Amino acid sequence: MTLDGKIATKTGSSEISGQEDLVRVHELRMEVDAIMVGINTVLADDPRLTVHKIPSSKSDNPLRIVVDSRARTPLNFRILNSDAKTLLAVTQAADPVKVNKLKQLVDVVVCGEKHVDLKNLMKHLYELGIKTLMLEGGSTLNYSMLSEGLVDEVRVCIAPMVAGGKYAKTLADGDGFDEMKDSVKLEFKKSYTLGDDLIVEYKVLPRKLK
């Protein structure tokens, strides 16, 4: 993110990380069992979500997970290709015709009625043997995961730039908390510089969920 907490401008521009940080992210991808993003990230970036910024093989790619309540993932997007396995989490509100088409390409699981039930999704992933999940979500999914107590650790790359803009996406948007006392609390672990960027790592402290 930028120094003022933006992960994209109001137009969706998100070229923030330096080359060194991109390498760090892909090294992390190689270490985890799965990567998860939301449908807005997929629609905005058409990401591959594979390990490709460093030397790697197809077997190094983690499971790709998309939180896609209404099954809006385009059938020609790269997230559905054969470079890695993909799991789409949809809801009962998704178009059954589209869901059937997606099932011909990737695995699909129904979690929830109108919105993906993230806790049930995490339980399903655990049953599949997923023990380490890297959340590369946008601001909405980031907030949802944090607010539901489903994040253990936060690692942030802070780039030396200020984007500004009240409509620019921040690290965590969503509804937000009404009171600071209810916010997600973090415990500092470490920080270090990487090229022109600053990497900060935190442990997420347990919180009482309403």
Side-chain angles (χ1 to χ4, degrees), residues 13 22 28 34 54 69 73 95 100 102 113 118 136 140-141 155-156 169 184-185 200 208:
S13 175
L22 292 174
L28 280 173
I54 58 176
S69 296
T73 301
D95 178 6
N100 284 333
L102 289 167
E113 296 182 5
L118 294 173
E136 287 195 39
T140 301
L141 183 57
R155 299 185 186 185
V156 180
K169 295 291 186 181
V184 177
K185 305 300 190 301
V200 187
K208 295 181 179 180

Side-chain angles (χ1 to χ4, degrees), residues 27-44:
E27 288 174 344
L28 280 173
R29 286 183 179 184
M30 189 181 288
E31 295 174 6
V32 300
D33 296 325
I35 305 173
M36 188 167 80
V37 298
I39 182 58
N40 289 333
T41 296
V42 170
L43 294 177

Side-chain angles (χ1 to χ4, degrees), residues 64 73-75 77-82 86 88 102 105-106:
R64 303 176 294 193
T73 301
L75 297 173
F77 267 34
R78 296 187 294 181
I79 198 74
L80 303 179
N81 64 27
S82 60
T86 299
L88 294 187
L102 289 167
L105 300 171
V106 296

Side-chain angles (χ1 to χ4, degrees), residues 10 29 45 47 58 60 67 72 92-93 111 123 136 141:
K10 62 182 180 181
R29 286 183 179 184
D45 301 335
K58 188 174 181 178
D60 292 319
V67 177
R72 291 188 291 153
Q92 296 172 18
C111 293
K123 186 180 299 183
E136 287 195 39
L141 183 57

Side-chain angles (χ1 to χ4, degrees), residues 114-132:
K114 295 183 178 180
H115 301 284
V116 171
D117 186 322
L118 294 173
K119 289 183 179 179
N120 280 345
L121 176 58
M122 293 303 105
K123 186 180 299 183
H124 178 73
L125 294 177
Y126 185 80
E127 292 172 352
L128 291 179
I130 302 299
K131 302 297 177 61
T132 53

